[in-house]
Amino acid sequence: MDFAGLWNTLTATQPAPPHWLVLGSAAVALLTILPHPVWRLSRNVVTIAHEGGHGLAALLTDRELAGIRLHSDTSGLTISSGPPTGPGVILTAAAGYTAPPLLGLGGAALLAGQHVTQLLWIAIVLLAGLLVMIRNAFGVLSVVLTGAAFFLISWYGSSQLQAAFAYVGVWFLLLAGVRPVLELQGKRRHEGARNTDADQLAHLTHIGPLFWVALFLLTALAALALGGSWLLAL
């Protein structure tokens, strides 16, 4: 396939999927989130989006991004340097928990416009950019496997398989954006954790951590409501 043919493929629209596929993909996404043993595995995808959000915000605010680490316990770490206070570090700290639902919202917008193939390839490009900044073996493995799934589906999958995969992925990001915020507050309340993103933001802004937890949750719920309405064509 030449460049013109590839470009036409990436920018073309696909037929709207049947309603049962949209609803079925939402159910599949829920099944990857609600059962704890499954969530223990699928949460790694949320961590990829979370740490990628930190990294992208650091780059966009002109901070120096030193690297990103993803761990097998679904935690992660993004290291950047720059001014210790100010908008750049605040936006970088706030971007983690807001990244998965906002990515899901962007994906829902693409699917609402019937750009299934374009969504898959945007995901591949974002994952390739993230891979460059990964600094540990488990992180490399996680990103490579996720990117390989997107590539194989986009290159070899039928149009219906591509649509099903894309819809499950977008529903997952929209729905999964809520649970980590609830876990965050549970960790703060029951375990006394005071090194979370919300606590770091409270230290940077002198606004209580509960405000930031509420902001994360509101962002996730708003993205779910809006993105879900687009996917369901309400």
Side-chain angles (χ1 to χ4, degrees):
M1 181 183 298
D2 58 16
F3 177 78
L6 178 61
W7 178 256
N8 289 334
T9 299
L10 294 179
T11 56
T13 58
Q14 287 75 40
H19 206 59
W20 65 262
L21 187 148
V22 179
L23 294 175
S25 62
V28 171
L30 270 177
L31 290 175
T32 66
I33 297 168
L34 294 180
H36 184 73
V38 181
W39 174 244
R40 178 67 180 75
L41 179 63
S42 64
R43 199 186 192 286
N44 285 289
V45 178
V46 179
T47 303
I48 291 173
H50 180 112
E51 299 303 329
H54 283 313
L56 181 60
L59 293 174
L60 292 177
T61 56
D62 205 27
R63 294 178 62 80
E64 184 176 348
L65 182 59
I68 296 173
R69 301 176 69 88
L70 307 173
H71 303 133
S72 59
D73 63 355
T74 73
S75 65
L77 177 66
T78 299
I79 303 173
S80 65
S81 59
T85 59
V89 68
I90 292 172
L91 289 173
T92 299
Y97 282 96
T98 56
L102 292 180
L103 283 172
L105 184 62
L110 286 171
L111 292 181
Q114 301 176 20
H115 294 291
V116 174
T117 304
Q118 194 173 123
L119 181 147
L120 296 176
W121 278 89
I122 288 174
I124 292 170
V125 171
L126 290 175
L127 288 166
L130 177 63
L131 183 61
V132 175
M133 299 309 302
I134 297 295
R135 295 294 182 265
N136 68 320
F138 181 82
V140 169
L141 179 63
S142 297
V143 175
V144 167
L145 289 178
T146 305
F150 275 91
F151 175 77
L152 291 173
I153 293 293
S154 66
W155 199 258
Y156 297 108
S158 65
S159 59
Q160 191 166 64
L161 179 60
Q162 290 181 12
F165 184 80
Y167 272 85
V168 169
V170 170
W171 275 119
F172 175 80
L173 288 173
L174 291 172
L175 293 165
V178 178
R179 183 165 179 174
V181 181
L182 301 178
E183 292 176 341
L184 164 68
Q185 184 55 22
K187 184 178 180 181
R188 296 188 67 260
R189 185 172 64 250
H190 299 301
E191 301 178 19
R194 292 296 180 266
N195 61 343
T196 67
D197 289 0
D199 292 282
Q200 293 178 27
L201 284 162
H203 175 73
L204 290 167
T205 63
H206 305 292
I207 302 174
L210 287 179
F211 168 85
W212 295 103
V213 174
L215 181 63
F216 296 157
L217 184 59
L218 180 62
T219 301
L221 291 175
L224 174 58
L226 182 58
S229 70
W230 290 344
L231 294 178
L232 296 170
L234 299 178

